[in-house]
Amino acid sequence: MSDNSATSQVRSRIEQLRQSINDHNYRYYALDEPSIPDAEYDRLLNELKQLETDHPELLTADSPTQRVGSAPLDSFTSVPHEKPMLSLDNAFSDDDLRAFDQRLKDRLKDSADIEYACEPKLDGIAISILYQDGQLVRAATRGDGTNGEDITANVRTIKSVPLSLRGKDYPQRLEVRGEIYMPKAGFAKLNQQAADKGEKIFVNPRNAAAGSLRQLDSRITATRPLELCAYSVGVHQGLELPPRHTDILQQLRTWGFKINPEMIAAASIEECIAYHQSLGEKRDGLAYDIDGVVFKVNNIATQETLGFVSRAPRWAIAYKFPAQEEMTTLEAVEFQVGRTGTITPVARLKPVFVGGVTVSNATLHNRDEIARLDARVGDTVIVRRAGDVIPQIVGVVEAKRPDNATLIEFPDTCPICDSPAVQIPGEAAIRCEGGLICPAQRKEAIIHFASRKAMDIDGLGDKLVEQLVDRGLINTIADLYRLKAEDVAALERMGQKSAENLIAALEASKSISFARFIYALGIREVGEATARNLAAHYGTWQALSEADEEILQQVDDIGPVVAKFVRDFFVEQDNLDIVSQLRECGVHWPEREPEQQPAEQPLAGQTCVLTGTLEQMTRDEAGEKLRALGAKVAGSVSKKTDFVVAGPGAGSKLSKAEQLGVEVLDEAGLLALLARY
């Protein structure tokens, strides 16, 4: 291939990339309709950067690599930034970060460690807010970095934005820069409200924040749960600022701005790497979305020495986390049946690496969700996975829909037993009416019965349950206790020793608490907490089984829906027969009248949270002991939390407790508390 031909191909590819990136910028920044995940956008931009680096003669001033975003919409007034709002270069590995550090040392001609300011990279909208004589006079979006959109009226509605600076000692003219974002809880509530009204829901909190900020009617913005976190100062006149970036942020805090509590100063690049790892572990427990960490040289004079390149400061870099959203192909949809008969569509995907793992399946929830997404087999879809959350499809890239994409048809009958599949009025779920004649429901009911938080039958996993049901060795949970070691030993991947261990585990499980037995039965909507409340309130099986719906609603946290499900269980004779068979097989629990009313218990009214690893007991055991004393054991820390028990490895919950000033006990403190009673 000739040099001219090769150059022509490179020029063509560069033009394709520029056009694609500009289109995505327009959708992302102007229309608030992102069409691809951030990770895909980063790949396109990095490919373009590399081609322009390799072929500098093809670099032009209007390339997307030479600017930050896209032009403002005409519907808002365009305002110039007194100092450009630039973007940041990215790091994607520890080695990238070390190379960044070495470049700075080389440029400074100094091998000494550099101190860095470390801040979470919030996934929101960059904003500039100008104050004159302490009063907010203008707020603007970043726009293209040189000009932004005047959204002052909207920003004034955000409660975390000070309309007047606190105190008296502040610059005559001050431009504060920060990120406006929507916390996860507010996002979930906003989407739920939209869904209830049949309105379009947002894909993610960033998209919701962008859409909220760009409302022409600021009264709408005022109803949205937006927050501002300040991260820098653009211009200032009339007062010298502190010499370190972290000190400037603390100064902003005194003037009334929210800054991120996770911000620290790191003495070296290795401390920065450790911070990135630590924050990554906390990521899913934070109240807001972050997509990485921003590292800035902390000394302002050193920042000025290092200066800028065309579109980014030399002294700062963003170290991204693994993408939580990626694009892939929806190859097929299968339907699974749960223990309560719910038929759930499961997307089979072309495998894609997202959220730190390879994902090939994702939930589609129900028929309503498929309709909302307008998802079809063959579509390019956006998959999201955050931490241990089950992967889900959050959007469809309609521009990439192939001509042969096919509609997803929800079955009219159960895919396992062919029983009718019906939708109960008022519910989104479609259920198989086969009950226990449906093998899928039998299997799931048995798996739940044997699970760790229920009967805790060691060695009875999903695959073994499938074999037992498929071979006809068990049909109900009571059949488990009639199994013979020789029958189990003949199964795949089982032997005599494994079979004997299973029989021993079944024998050990016969002695159980009343609450765990209730939970193990798999009554709809009766989770661990509800089972505990029922056991504590009634004390005996007979009292519980005879309670009607009205009486059941006297139990804590039980309303009419759960009361009906509980009563429905007890009016079904087959269920009562199964429990009788279990008791005949030796399953038993202590029955008694409640010894204390909740108000008389020593920890009544107190809420606690368990986090980290305990050595003397498991967290579940500790929770049971605390509940027995009347405490409520919650899953998250809030202002209403009375104390937190933190063992080694405690993460974001411990940090939140310290931030809120909640009492923290170590394991020794927990044991001392329990010993008191």
Side-chain angles (χ1 to χ4, degrees):
M1 183 181 294
S2 67
D3 290 344
N4 287 340
S5 176
T7 301
S8 176
Q9 288 186 6
V10 171
R11 181 180 286 109
S12 176
R13 178 59 179 161
I14 285 176
E15 289 304 317
Q16 289 175 0
L17 288 167
R18 288 174 179 169
Q19 182 63 48
S20 179
I21 291 168
N22 283 332
D23 287 345
H24 293 313
N25 275 343
Y26 176 73
R27 287 181 173 277
Y28 194 84
Y29 292 104
L31 301 182
D32 301 325
E33 296 176 354
S35 54
I36 60 173
D38 290 348
E40 178 69 13
Y41 180 92
D42 288 340
R43 279 195 286 270
L44 295 175
L45 190 62
N46 286 335
E47 182 184 352
L48 180 57
K49 283 183 187 177
Q50 190 60 53
L51 287 173
E52 290 177 345
T53 299
D54 295 340
H55 301 272
E57 72 278 9
L58 301 179
L59 178 62
T60 60
D62 62 351
S63 171
T65 63
Q66 303 304 297
R67 60 189 220 167
V68 176
S70 58
L73 287 178
D74 294 336
S75 53
F76 287 94
T77 303
S78 178
V79 294
H81 295 301
E82 297 181 28
K83 183 177 180 181
M85 292 185 71
L86 301 180
S87 185
L88 294 174
D89 285 333
N90 292 321
F92 296 95
S93 68
D94 293 353
D95 287 342
D96 287 350
L97 202 60
R98 291 186 180 102
F100 162 76
D101 179 65
Q102 189 59 51
R103 287 196 300 274
L104 300 192
K105 290 176 179 176
D106 291 345
R107 192 169 190 86
L108 294 169
K109 297 181 172 56
D110 189 343
S111 61
D113 283 337
I114 298 172
E115 183 183 65
Y116 291 96
C118 312
E119 304 167 62
K121 186 176 181 297
L122 294 172
D123 198 8
I125 311 301
I127 199 82
S128 160
I129 307 177
L130 184 63
Y131 291 82
Q132 184 70 40
D133 296 323
Q135 301 298 310
L136 190 159
V137 295
R138 190 185 73 195
T141 64
R142 182 169 63 182
D144 64 3
T146 302
N147 297 281
E149 297 169 345
D150 189 332
I151 56 170
T152 306
N154 289 347
V155 170
R156 288 178 66 90
T157 70
I158 301 171
K159 293 181 180 179
S160 55
V161 174
L163 300 180
S164 302
L165 298 181
R166 290 175 61 86
K168 297 181 180 180
D169 191 16
Y170 45 73
Q172 179 185 8
R173 189 172 179 82
L174 175 70
E175 181 207 4
V176 176
R177 295 177 174 181
E179 200 86 359
I180 289 178
Y181 62 97
M182 187 173 291
K184 294 175 184 176
F187 169 72
K189 184 176 180 180
L190 178 66
N191 264 356
Q192 185 59 57
Q193 291 170 343
D196 292 344
K197 296 176 183 177
E199 299 173 352
K200 177 182 176 182
I201 67 173
F202 292 99
V203 172
N204 54 46
R206 190 215 177 274
N207 183 231
S212 301
L213 269 183
R214 297 190 62 263
Q215 293 290 329
L216 295 177
D217 185 349
S218 62
R219 291 173 298 182
I220 297 176
T221 306
T223 67
R224 302 290 173 81
L226 298 173
E227 292 187 12
L228 168 73
C229 182
Y231 60 63
S232 72
V233 168
V235 297
H236 61 95
Q237 299 171 2
L239 182 73
E240 278 299 312
L241 295 181
R244 297 164 76 241
H245 176 76
T246 48
D247 295 335
I248 291 174
L249 293 187
Q250 293 297 340
Q251 181 63 64
L252 288 177
R253 187 177 187 180
T254 67
W255 289 332
F257 292 92
K258 178 178 181 178
I259 64 172
N260 197 290
E262 302 289 342
M263 185 233 0
I264 67 165
S268 69
I269 203 65
E270 293 304 320
E271 287 191 13
C272 290
I273 291 170
Y275 175 85
H276 181 270
Q277 180 179 350
S278 173
L279 194 63
E281 293 170 355
K282 293 181 179 181
R283 181 185 187 187
D284 298 321
L286 295 175
Y288 43 82
D289 276 348
I290 60 174
D291 58 7
V293 177
V294 175
F295 297 105
K296 303 172 185 174
V297 172
N298 206 19
N299 185 280
I300 302 301
T302 306
Q303 288 184 8
E304 293 171 353
T305 299
L306 290 166
F308 302 82
V309 291
S310 59
R311 59 178 294 275
R314 289 194 179 95
W315 40 265
I317 196 166
Y319 187 176
K320 293 291 192 77
F321 289 131
Q324 292 186 304
E325 291 184 354
E326 281 288 1
M327 290 198 309
T328 189
T329 303
L330 174 56
E331 297 184 329
V333 175
E334 297 179 3
F335 295 90
Q336 296 181 344
V337 182
R339 66 180 173 84
T340 62
T342 301
I343 300 174
T344 302
V346 178
R348 304 304 184 196
L349 307 169
K350 182 178 181 181
V352 61
F353 192 77
V354 56
V357 301
T358 299
V359 170
S360 55
N361 304 315
T363 180
L364 280 166
H365 298 292
N366 51 49
R367 183 160 57 188
D368 292 350
E369 179 70 359
I370 291 173
R372 184 190 71 78
L373 291 168
D374 188 25
R376 305 181 188 185
V377 174
D379 272 341
T380 296
V381 295
I382 299 172
V383 180
R384 180 173 178 81
R385 180 186 182 275
D388 294 328
V389 176
I390 297 171
Q392 60 181 318
I393 293 174
V394 296
V396 172
V397 185
E398 293 188 15
K400 293 192 174 188
R401 174 168 287 163
D403 293 337
N404 63 348
T406 58
L407 293 170
I408 299 169
E409 299 289 344
F410 219 95
D412 294 323
T413 60
C414 173
I416 305 300
C417 71
D418 286 332
S419 296
V422 299
Q423 184 167 10
I424 299 172
E427 292 188 11
I430 293 176
R431 301 182 189 277
C432 163
E433 287 198 318
L436 290 180
I437 71 166
C438 177
Q441 291 187 59
R442 286 206 307 271
K443 290 175 182 176
E444 291 298 327
I446 294 167
I447 289 168
H448 172 78
F449 182 80
S451 63
R452 183 174 63 85
K453 293 183 178 181
M455 302 299 287
D456 193 19
I457 303 173
D458 189 33
L460 188 57
D462 298 9
K463 298 296 184 184
L464 183 53
V465 169
E466 289 183 12
Q467 286 193 73
L468 291 168
V469 173
D470 292 343
R471 297 284 187 92
L473 293 175
I474 58 173
N475 286 304
T476 71
I477 53 179
D479 290 337
L480 288 169
Y481 295 96
R482 303 186 183 104
L483 286 171
K484 307 288 188 206
E486 54 267 27
D487 295 330
V488 177
L491 298 176
E492 183 181 345
R493 296 188 179 179
M494 295 294 290
Q496 188 62 34
K497 183 62 176 175
S498 297
E500 290 173 356
N501 288 341
L502 176 62
I503 299 302
L506 284 162
E507 188 64 31
S509 73
K510 290 180 180 180
S511 180
I512 192 74
S513 72
F514 189 24
R516 288 177 65 151
F517 180 75
I518 295 170
Y519 173 67
L521 293 174
I523 303 169
R524 279 188 66 188
E525 301 298 330
V526 175
E528 294 175 82
T530 302
R532 282 193 296 268
N533 290 341
L534 287 169
H537 188 89
Y538 290 103
T540 70
W541 177 260
Q542 182 174 349
L544 174 59
S545 63
E546 293 175 353
D548 61 27
E549 289 182 41
E550 185 176 348
I551 294 175
L552 282 165
Q553 292 181 56
Q554 297 175 8
V555 180
D556 286 346
D557 297 328
I558 292 186
V561 173
V562 177
K564 182 179 186 305
F565 288 144
V566 173
R567 192 64 210 144
D568 286 348
F569 179 88
F570 284 106
V571 298
E572 179 59 56
Q573 187 59 45
D574 286 346
N575 294 332
L576 300 179
D577 290 344
I578 291 293
V579 174
S580 294
Q581 292 172 39
L582 287 168
R583 300 184 86 163
E584 289 170 4
C585 290
V587 176
H588 62 281
W589 54 87
E591 292 197 336
R592 56 172 175 78
E593 295 298 327
E595 294 176 357
Q596 289 180 300
Q597 293 301 314
E600 299 170 352
Q601 294 175 289
L603 297 183
Q606 295 196 39
T607 298
C608 65
V609 172
L610 296 160
T611 183
T613 304
L614 302 179
E615 297 177 357
Q616 303 279 337
M617 65 188 82
T618 66
R619 288 216 314 243
D620 284 346
E621 291 169 342
E624 290 291 340
K625 292 178 183 294
L626 288 166
R627 291 187 191 96
L629 295 174
K632 177 182 178 182
V633 180
S636 59
V637 179
S638 70
K639 292 179 180 178
K640 296 182 180 179
T641 304
D642 291 286
F643 63 93
V644 169
V645 178
S652 59
K653 293 176 183 177
L654 175 58
S655 300
K656 185 70 176 290
E658 292 171 341
Q659 178 186 337
L660 296 175
V662 174
E663 181 184 5
V664 177
L665 303 178
D666 58 13
E667 187 165 4
L670 170 64
L671 294 173
L673 175 66
L674 296 175
R676 274 185 239 159
Y677 308 108

